[in-house]
Amino acid sequence: MSDSNWWFFDLTLVIVVTGFVTFGLFTAVSGPIRILMGLPLLLFLPGYAFVSVLYPDAPETEYQAFDDESPGSERSVLNNGGLQPIERFALSVVASLAIVPAVTLGSTVTPWGITLLPILAGTALVTIALSLLGIVQRYRCPVERRFTPSISDSTLLFSSTGDSFGRSDPSVRPYNIMFLVALLVLVAIAGFAVANPPEHDSYTEFYLETEEVDGDTEYVYNESLSTGESNSVTAYIANEEQEERSYTTVVAIQDVSYGNDSATVNGQEVLTSESVTVSDGETHEQTLEFEPTSIGENHRLVLFLYEGEAPDDPDEESAYRTITLPVTLS
């Protein structure tokens, strides 16, 4: 890999691994394998591509002293060229920790919100785009200055020709160990986050289609029903339970009396019911037709929504969702 003809190998590998990981995470892969696949895309690949765009050149072997007037000084010296392997690795991790949250923030403006699809797809697209730009940046560098990945000249924690300040000392230094420990903690935290994603609130929306509202509108629904004739009401069931659910909607007319800010049900007539299965994330529209037999003002139309089958005597306490509409029967 030290051959200068392979200067694009690492970024090409980043593109291939990103595509493989993205495809794997969109499939049914789960458990520890899913965690191991997701960690590189979260902690390293986007940042490595970004750092490659900023630093396409190789590190210089010559160092410039802080104090040129003090030759032979024991003071630290400065590398004024590209990044050393430890520096490139550390910046890649830090940059990834900035890029992935930025992509997550951007997913809030998408129709899907903060979900796996926009975050994973966005991170993959950003990584691939930065990798391609990094290849262009390296190509524009002089051949002798292009960064080429190598596994023979250095290791992660120290250089075989000297430390990160240019001094000839191949020993592992305390800050190297601190960096490694911090990296292991970061990987453990990220692995826990991937293995235990936050649980989203599960719920079902149950609502009616209403009429257009203007300044003269008194009721947003048809409050006057005809006894002995066919009437209808359009209800919507929006399933956000994170899984497919079966529902039963029951339409009833209740004879009620009001007093002290409460309503007492004197009688109830079940008019119709309808069962339906709704996929997760889908909204089902159902038109319920019924024919009331009662007459009077102190009535209300009640729609009970049940998960699964409905009981013979539905009420608000047993129903999953309830819609109550005061009506006049004539």
Side-chain angles (χ1 to χ4, degrees):
M1 290 178 60
S2 61
D3 192 328
S4 60
N5 293 330
W6 290 88
W7 54 269
F8 56 87
F9 176 82
D10 58 329
L11 292 176
T12 303
L13 185 61
V14 168
I15 295 175
V16 173
V17 172
T18 298
F20 175 77
V21 169
T22 303
F23 176 79
L25 294 179
F26 272 129
T27 60
V29 176
S30 60
I33 297 179
R34 185 180 182 87
I35 297 174
L36 293 177
M37 291 181 64
L39 287 179
L41 194 59
L42 290 177
L43 299 179
F44 184 72
L45 297 180
Y48 186 84
F50 180 69
V51 171
S52 297
V53 174
L54 298 181
Y55 299 97
D57 53 339
E60 293 184 1
T61 56
E62 296 181 358
Y63 292 80
Q64 177 183 354
F66 288 161
D67 186 1
D68 291 336
E69 297 181 358
S70 304
S73 173
E74 295 297 328
R75 299 176 61 181
S76 299
V77 291
L78 174 67
N79 176 13
N80 59 359
L83 297 176
Q84 295 292 327
I86 181 63
E87 298 166 336
R88 187 175 294 270
F89 182 85
L91 284 179
S92 297
V93 175
V94 173
S96 295
L97 296 179
I99 292 174
V100 175
V103 173
T104 304
L105 181 62
S107 68
T108 59
V109 302
T110 66
W112 303 277
I114 304 179
T115 57
L116 176 65
L117 174 63
I119 296 176
L120 182 57
T123 302
L125 289 176
V126 168
T127 302
I128 293 174
L130 290 174
S131 298
L132 294 174
L133 184 57
I135 292 176
V136 173
Q137 287 287 83
R138 287 188 191 173
Y139 179 78
R140 296 174 59 186
C141 287
V143 176
E144 67 277 5
R145 291 294 305 131
R146 287 177 188 164
F147 172 75
T148 303
S150 174
I151 59 175
S152 59
D153 295 337
S154 59
T155 61
L156 178 62
L157 294 181
F158 57 87
S159 171
S160 60
T161 58
D163 64 14
S164 60
F165 294 110
R167 295 189 294 262
S168 178
D169 184 359
S171 61
V172 178
R173 296 187 174 276
Y175 67 81
N176 299 133
I177 299 177
M178 292 174 59
F179 170 77
L180 182 59
V181 172
L183 179 62
L184 293 176
V185 172
L186 180 61
V187 170
I189 294 174
F192 178 82
V194 174
N196 300 273
E199 296 184 0
H200 300 285
D201 293 335
S202 300
Y203 62 93
T204 296
E205 288 186 279
F206 185 48
Y207 56 95
L208 299 181
E209 182 181 55
T210 59
E211 300 177 357
E212 293 185 6
V213 179
D214 55 33
D216 298 325
T217 300
E218 184 176 357
Y219 293 94
V220 296
Y221 63 95
N222 184 13
E223 81 286 358
S224 180
L225 303 179
S226 299
T227 300
E229 297 181 4
S230 179
N231 298 267
S232 65
V233 62
T234 301
Y236 294 86
I237 304 173
N239 178 12
E240 300 293 342
E241 301 285 354
Q242 314 302 321
E243 63 181 4
E244 184 179 83
R245 291 288 177 91
S246 295
Y247 300 94
T248 300
T249 305
V250 179
V251 180
I253 286 289
Q254 293 179 342
D255 179 14
V256 296
S257 57
Y258 297 96
N260 298 325
D261 298 327
S262 63
T264 301
V265 178
N266 302 317
Q268 175 174 279
E269 178 186 7
V270 176
L271 303 176
T272 187
S273 65
E274 181 177 312
S275 298
V276 66
T277 299
V278 185
S279 301
D280 175 45
E282 299 293 328
T283 299
H284 175 74
E285 175 184 349
Q286 58 181 181
T287 299
L288 303 161
E289 296 184 354
F290 55 92
E291 185 176 318
T293 59
S294 303
I295 297 178
E297 295 183 351
N298 294 330
H299 291 83
R300 63 185 187 184
L301 180 69
V302 184
L303 279 76
F304 300 106
L305 181 68
Y306 285 89
E307 291 184 299
E309 298 294 329
D312 295 333
D313 187 19
D315 55 33
E316 293 188 39
E317 292 184 0
S318 62
Y320 185 44
R321 296 285 186 269
T322 304
I323 298 176
T324 304
L325 304 173
V327 294
T328 298
L329 301 175
S330 58

